[in-house]
Amino acid sequence: MCHCLECQRRTGAVFGNQAWFKQQQVTISGQSTQFTRQSDAGRSVSFQFCPSCGSTVYWEGEALPDHVAVAVGAFADPAFSAPSISAWEVRQHHWLNSLQTIAIQHID
């Protein structure tokens, strides 16, 4: 998961959550629209979006040149594995660690 400000802006959420795969593990097909930006670390990241709905489909980063990231939410699988890395925690929202103890209404 990534707490950088750019991931927060891109997702509209307090962090971005992605699964990284080696390029040879992924088959990419169909059309996409590309947007490239600099990461908070100053490296290039290229995002591929669905040209119809604008959803992020996948992205590739200069920091992991032989890998492809897919947003975990794109799998729509509540049983998807928990994240094993948390990046840019210095930009993490202060209340995230206390989510279990915050008085919050839970709705199913």
Side-chain angles (χ1 to χ4, degrees):
M1 91 177 56
C2 183
H3 301 277
C4 81
L5 298 179
E6 290 301 325
C7 280
Q8 291 180 39
R9 288 184 185 103
R10 180 183 56 80
T11 63
V14 296
F15 58 84
N17 207 353
Q18 60 275 329
W20 287 87
F21 301 94
K22 291 184 179 182
Q23 283 182 338
Q24 61 265 31
Q25 295 176 289
V26 178
T27 301
I28 297 170
S29 63
Q31 295 182 339
S32 65
T33 301
Q34 181 173 307
F35 173 72
T36 301
R37 66 162 174 82
Q38 295 297 303
S39 71
D40 283 11
R43 296 184 189 107
S44 177
V45 183
S46 295
F47 295 88
Q48 302 295 327
F49 299 88
C50 172
S52 297
C53 72
S55 294
T56 303
V57 181
Y58 67 94
W59 60 96
E60 298 169 288
E62 184 180 352
L64 293 169
D66 297 326
H67 290 74
V68 174
V70 179
V72 170
F75 294 100
D77 180 2
F80 201 89
S81 300
S84 60
I85 297 172
S86 181
W88 289 97
E89 289 184 339
V90 67
R91 297 198 175 144
Q92 176 178 319
H93 286 242
H94 68 89
W95 48 264
L96 273 177
N97 286 332
S98 58
L99 266 181
Q100 297 299 320
T101 60
I102 292 176
I104 189 169
Q105 182 180 5
H106 297 273
I107 301 171
D108 283 331

